[in-house]
């Protein structure tokens, strides 16, 4: 509930409080310049008070999260009242509020903090069903009958001719299902996602042979970045399904990772055969976008582009 250390949360709280202050400044003013002056003066006290509340909640997050729900609301509201009084003190110290309205400022701080806590509370509740639905969707795609049927057929075809390779295919398949059926986790490392995608592509390599041409460009320093589980594999599966499968000549698939300062960039690119394949519904891409946003919020980016016969998915996450 007290996820105030997150950049996206801080930004939204500040914008929300400033919006309330802007509306409040409209009372008692008739001219735009008067409103702007009043808004600027109020911001001089309200903004530090808001930041003080965010810092306090972030610093005490561990202890606050151990309290009962009612006590969490009470503690957050009390901190909000203190932040309101602090803002009032700043305005009074600068001579911008005479006389100082301590009670009204504390009440306003308590009310605003309660509204912010309500937003954080519903945001926290929204994460679990969304993550569960996303995971169920990935489980369903993982055990799609045609995928299982084709993979087992590939293994059966190799049993007599190349039994060692058939054993490897079945090991890769069991590893995929082990990850899909494991206890859900909020995040995994990019390195784990890469390893899972490599196993998946080894299986598909048996099916498509030379039609599937894969290029890897991996930055070792990016492997510790955190991603939602089973995020990369559906992107790779999408590339195979829409790039390789409908084309008699196959397609090229390129997967790259690169660390740039505090950001890690992941790209999945596949060539698109002209005149082949059908446009998908975009469910997998929407699934990935939503889960990425739930984990990293505004610190992540998700973009897709189709240009010059190449379809690329680009992800940016904190390092």
């Amino acid at each position: 509930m007290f996820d105030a250390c997150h950049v996206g949360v801080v930004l939204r709280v500040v914008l929300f409080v400033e919006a309330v202050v802007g509306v409040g400044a409209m009372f008692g003013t008739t001219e735009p310049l008067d409103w702007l002056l009043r808004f600027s003066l109020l911001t001089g006290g309200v903004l530090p008070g808001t930041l003080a509340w965010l810092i306090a909640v972030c610093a005490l997050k561990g202890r606050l999260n151990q309290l009962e729900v009612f006590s969490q609301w009470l503690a957050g509201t009390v901190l909000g009242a203190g932040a309101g009084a602090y803002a009032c003190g700043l305005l009074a110290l600068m001579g911008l509020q005479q006389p100082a309205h301590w009670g009204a400022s504390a009440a306003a701080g308590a009310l605003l903090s309660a509204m912010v806590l309500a937003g954080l509370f519903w945001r926290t509740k929204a994460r679990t069903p969304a993550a569960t639905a996303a995971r169920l969707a990935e489980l369903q795609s993982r055990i799609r009958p045609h995928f299982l049927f084709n993979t087992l057929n590939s293994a059966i075809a190799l049993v007599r001719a190349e039994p060692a390779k058939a054993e490897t295919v079945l090991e890769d398949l069991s590893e995929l299902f082990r990850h899909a059926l494991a206890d859900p986790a909020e995040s995994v490392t990019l390195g784990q996602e890469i390893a899972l995608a490599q196993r998946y592509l080894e299986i598909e390599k048996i099916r498509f042979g030379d039609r599937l041409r894969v290029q890897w460009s991996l930055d070792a320093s990016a492997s510790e970045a955190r991603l939602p589980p089973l995020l990369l594999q559906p992107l790779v599966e999408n590339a195979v399904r829409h790039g390789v499968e409908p084309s008699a000549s196959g397609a090229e698939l390129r997967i790259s990772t690169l660390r740039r300062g505090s950001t890690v960039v992941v790209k999945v690119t596949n060539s698109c055969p002209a005149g082949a394949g059908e446009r998908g519904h975009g469910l997998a891409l929407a699934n990935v976008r939503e889960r990425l946003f739930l984990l990293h919020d505004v610190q992540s980016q998700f973009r897709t582009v189709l240009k010059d016969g190449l379809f690329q998915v680009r992800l940016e996450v904190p390092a």
Side-chain angles (χ1 to χ4, degrees):
M1 178 173 174
F2 293 96
D3 194 18
C5 303
H6 203 289
V7 175
V9 172
V10 172
L11 179 62
R12 289 184 178 90
V13 170
V14 170
L15 290 177
F16 167 71
V17 173
E18 286 296 288
V20 173
V21 171
V23 173
M26 292 179 182
F27 292 93
T29 60
T30 57
E31 298 294 331
L33 289 178
D34 292 339
W35 171 83
L36 183 60
L37 178 60
R38 186 177 182 85
F39 174 70
S40 301
L41 295 177
L42 290 174
T43 297
V46 172
L47 184 58
T50 303
L51 294 178
W53 184 86
L54 288 168
I55 292 171
V57 169
C58 180
L60 300 173
K61 179 174 69 172
R63 294 184 179 180
L64 291 173
N65 282 328
Q66 295 174 1
L67 300 176
E68 297 293 332
V69 175
F70 175 77
S71 299
Q72 289 181 350
W73 282 90
L74 181 61
T77 305
V78 169
L79 288 174
Y86 171 65
C88 179
L90 289 178
L91 292 173
L93 186 63
M94 293 183 292
L96 301 177
Q97 189 180 84
Q98 296 295 337
H101 302 290
W102 298 101
S105 298
L111 180 61
L112 287 174
S113 64
M115 296 175 69
V116 169
L117 289 174
L120 292 175
F121 177 73
W122 289 111
R123 180 177 184 269
T124 302
K125 288 192 67 175
R127 289 172 67 99
T128 302
T132 301
R135 186 167 185 81
L136 288 175
E138 295 308 325
L139 287 174
Q140 186 176 2
S141 70
R142 181 84 66 206
I143 58 176
R144 280 204 316 262
H146 79 83
F147 170 71
L148 181 59
F149 178 78
N150 290 333
T151 305
L152 291 177
N153 266 357
S154 300
I156 292 171
L158 293 169
V159 166
R160 293 185 179 180
E162 299 179 80
K165 187 175 289 188
E167 183 179 352
T168 301
V169 171
L170 292 176
E171 288 176 353
D172 289 336
L173 181 62
S174 67
E175 186 69 14
L176 286 174
F177 274 90
R178 186 180 72 81
H179 278 80
L181 298 173
D183 292 334
E186 186 180 63
S187 66
V188 296
T189 65
L190 176 58
Q192 291 173 306
E193 286 290 288
I194 291 292
L196 191 64
Q198 288 173 334
R199 284 186 176 271
Y200 169 76
L201 288 173
E202 286 299 319
I203 293 176
E204 295 292 52
K205 186 71 174 176
I206 301 299
R207 285 181 57 200
F208 296 107
D210 294 337
R211 291 170 59 197
L212 175 57
R213 301 178 290 277
V214 184
Q215 296 180 11
W216 296 90
S217 178
L218 305 178
D219 185 350
S221 63
S223 61
E224 294 302 314
R226 307 300 296 187
L227 295 175
L230 303 177
L231 189 88
L232 185 59
Q233 189 275 336
L235 298 178
V236 174
E237 183 177 349
N238 236 30
V240 171
R241 183 179 180 186
H242 296 289
V244 181
E245 194 170 321
S247 173
S249 59
E252 294 183 359
L253 174 60
R254 295 195 294 272
I255 304 171
S256 67
T257 63
L258 179 64
R259 179 168 180 168
R260 295 178 177 173
S262 61
T263 303
V264 169
V265 180
V266 182
K267 297 179 182 178
V268 179
T269 309
N270 65 275
S271 56
C272 301
E278 297 180 357
R279 183 179 179 85
H281 299 289
L283 297 179
L285 297 179
N287 181 299
V288 170
R289 181 187 293 105
E290 180 180 1
R291 287 190 293 147
L292 196 64
F293 177 78
L294 284 172
L295 181 64
H296 292 301
D297 205 356
V298 296
Q299 291 179 289
S300 66
Q301 291 187 28
F302 179 92
R303 284 179 284 180
T304 61
V305 61
L306 176 60
K307 185 177 181 181
D308 298 330
L310 295 176
F311 181 79
Q312 182 181 91
V313 178
R314 175 190 172 101
L315 312 176
E316 291 187 20
V317 296

